Amino acid sequence: MKKADVFIGIFLILLSILVIVDSSTLPATTGDHDVGASFFPITVSSILILLSVITIWNGMREKKELISFSRKSFTCILFTIFYIVLVYLTGFYISTVLFMLVFMWCYRYRKKWMMMLVTIIVTGGIYLVFEKTLQVPLPSGLFFN
Amino acid sequence: MYDLLLQGLSNVFQVKLLLLSLLGVFVGIVIGALPGLTATMGVALLLPITFGMDPAAGLLLLSGVYFGGVYGGSITAILLRTPGTPAAAATAIDGYELTRKGMAGRALGVATMSSFTGGLLSIFILMFLAPPLAEFAIRFSAPETFALATFGLSIIASISGKSLVRGLVSGMIGLLIAMIGLDPIGGFPRFTGGFVDLQGGISYIPIMIGLFAASEAFKSLEEMNLQGKMKTKIGRILPTLADFKQLLPTILRSTGIGAMIGIIPAAGADIAAFASYNEAKRWSKNKEEFGQGSIVAVSACESGANACTGGALVPLLTLGIPGDGVTAVMLGALMVQGLQPGPMLFENNGPLVYTLFVGMIVCYIMMFILGIFASRFFARVVEIPKEVLVPIILVLCVVGSYAINNNLMDIVFMFASGVLGYFMQKYDFPASPIVLALILGPMAERQFRTALTLSGGSYSIFFTRPITLVLLILSIITLLTPIIKTWMENRKQA
């Protein structure tokens, strides 16, 4: 049995029920022959329930499949979370420089000159394009506001 | 039309536009050549940059990335047997065989020439097909537009990935996400959980960037860096006239196939490449050559794939419905520029559209020149290690998603979509239906409810109007076809 499929199916069914319940509080019609704001959500959720049942059914019939997750990818995701939080706190430029250098170092890249060059080019390039040319301000961070 | 064409011609030859087109094509080829980076990702990453630009410049930049991206995959496919883009997967087979026989240069030249010809011809098809189609589409009213949106949704669900069920699940999830916010007709907040921020709905550009770029970045760390350093000598790349003559029938046929597949909403370059390959093999007198290093095979794949680009732009510009993943992203670019794609685009912005047409032709010419003279350079691009590339992509994702509305929450949405996209890929759920559902969903709902208001609540409006009926029947056929195919296959095996 493909456990993942079954769990995903169950999760989607619960989600759909949640949507249907939440939609029932919406006005059914604005008069004027309109089906109302609840029509589409309920229809889509109902279809999704049907599809989830099929997915669960298929998941039970199929044999187990090995899905490999890579530690590299998960670390990357964690890094990104830190990066985003850092952008919020310290603004774009500091966090980007830190993120890039630490990331490359962590993944065993050791050519120091290249690391610095790439970081400078990317950060500088973004500054030029976004702040100078397009006049889009980038986050300056909680600490500096 | 011809005076508009001339106007477009004069508009295009400004330094800024030409430079941006060149830049776009260059970046596109690089991104296309790098395995793990797709043309869709390239366009999604560069999209935020186009906001501050004027429409022609921004759209030509993105078109350049698109065209270069589709073509670029062939370079690494041929030299290293690793397709840079899914569309180049078919090229990798015969292309690499040619490299092994010492004919890498010839393969690259054939690929460049075929991509160029296929793409160029598809732009001409776009130019001649779009205006009459736009005129036809003006007659579309709410029921027709609803049926069209439904058709687009049905295609994307059945085409992406192996399973129709999974494609539909993704589509439904996308539709639900699209419904967060104010409902399109009555303006009642839905699923906002009381957050005022969510009332505007979730901006779909950060989601696109997350799904197409960030998730790919996460995933690409899993594959090892390309070990194959390019040791082969390349030699002359520019194809001979004899080669061109020999390949012309193949190129023309593949262009037709590719353009048609591009015009069908949601069907993209990878399908076009494989379909062209199959047809070329069917029509070939030397079928055994295919797979052993046949330049006919390479030519078919590449012209088919690039012909898809012009085709995919047809429904985008005339109907506002994306022809494939990349054009879905470009739809975002158009809307942010305040341009409403669809029949009115030709009415209200005629000069712009023709500037684009001419500009796209120029893009393809530049692509050809870059390809012939710089393939060696592009091939070396794969030597960039993943651990340098991935942080760059992620930084661009963060910047890009923030820059749209200066909203930090958009970065969070982008990241969430990236993680979602990564897991969806792992569990075999296709991601493209979500993006198309985000675009087509609200359209479908608004038009459906408007149609019912117009008809006084009667559902017959969907059956009595011919265009609507045809499109709805096509949608049903599209959804049923995979089911019937599987059923028939099971019967054969039984």
Side-chain angles (χ1 to χ4, degrees), chain A residues 37-77:
Chain A
S38 55
F39 181 78
F40 257 64
I42 294 185
T43 314
V44 171
S45 309
S46 315
I47 299 178
L48 192 53
I49 291 183
L50 180 64
L51 292 170
S52 308
V53 169
I54 299 179
T55 308
I56 295 180
W57 172 251
N58 283 336
M60 290 199 175
R61 284 190 315 156
E62 285 172 21
K63 46 186 204 32
K64 193 172 170 145
E65 200 180 82
L66 204 57
I67 299 186
S68 60
F69 284 100
S70 133
R71 205 194 313 169
K72 283 188 177 182
S73 301
F74 273 122
T75 329
C76 179
I77 294 182

Side-chain angles (χ1 to χ4, degrees), chain B residues 351-435:
Chain B
L352 173 68
V353 174
Y354 279 88
T355 308
L356 282 180
F357 287 162
V358 179
M360 289 178 187
I361 295 179
V362 172
C363 278
Y364 264 114
I365 298 178
M366 289 183 181
M367 186 199 87
F368 180 70
I369 298 177
L370 278 177
I372 296 286
F373 290 110
S375 278
R376 290 176 190 79
F377 162 76
F378 290 120
R380 300 210 50 193
V381 132
V382 273
E383 295 173 18
I384 302 179
K386 290 270 164 55
E387 47 281 4
V388 174
L389 213 48
V390 167
I392 298 181
I393 296 175
L394 290 173
V395 166
L396 288 174
C397 286
V398 167
V399 172
S401 40
Y402 176 79
I404 299 166
N405 278 321
N406 276 19
N407 189 350
L408 283 166
M409 273 312 280
D410 281 341
I411 305 184
V412 176
F413 286 133
M414 182 279 298
F415 174 72
S417 324
V419 175
L420 177 67
Y422 173 71
F423 282 104
M424 283 177 71
Q425 284 199 24
K426 283 288 176 186
Y427 288 109
D428 252 335
F429 282 89
S432 330
I434 294 191
V435 172

Side-chain angles (χ1 to χ4, degrees), chain B residues 207-267:
Chain B
I207 299 188
M208 274 201 283
I209 297 181
L211 278 177
F212 288 139
S215 64
E216 288 291 339
F218 295 147
K219 181 166 152 237
S220 71
L221 282 171
E222 291 174 11
E223 296 133 23
M224 299 221 297
N225 277 320
L226 271 181
Q227 299 299 323
K229 268 207 197 277
M230 210 194 39
K231 298 191 193 86
T232 46
K233 289 192 55 111
I234 295 198
R236 175 200 166 103
I237 295 187
L238 187 65
T240 62
L241 200 57
D243 272 344
F244 179 67
K245 277 199 210 161
Q246 177 198 356
L247 294 170
L248 195 57
T250 309
I251 294 181
L252 288 176
R253 178 181 51 240
S254 310
T255 302
I257 297 176
M260 268 205 310
I261 292 185
I263 293 180
I264 300 178

Side-chain angles (χ1 to χ4, degrees), chain B residues 462-474:
Chain B
F462 297 112
F463 305 119
T464 50
R465 295 172 70 111
I467 304 178
T468 314
L469 188 60
V470 166
L471 285 169
L472 286 175
I473 292 181
L474 280 175

Side-chain angles (χ1 to χ4, degrees), chain B residues 168-181:
Chain B
L168 284 173
V169 167
S170 295
M172 294 298 132
I173 294 179
L175 288 177
L176 286 179
I177 298 179
M179 290 191 238
I180 299 179

Side-chain angles (χ1 to χ4, degrees), chain B residues 67-108:
Chain B
F67 304 155
V70 173
Y71 157 65
S74 64
I75 301 181
T76 32
I78 291 174
L79 292 173
L80 295 162
R81 223 242 218 140
T82 315
T85 345
T91 315
I93 311 171
D94 278 83
Y96 187 66
E97 287 303 309
L98 283 163
T99 302
R100 283 185 30 181
K101 294 186 188 166
M103 294 199 278
R106 192 163 176 230
L108 286 172

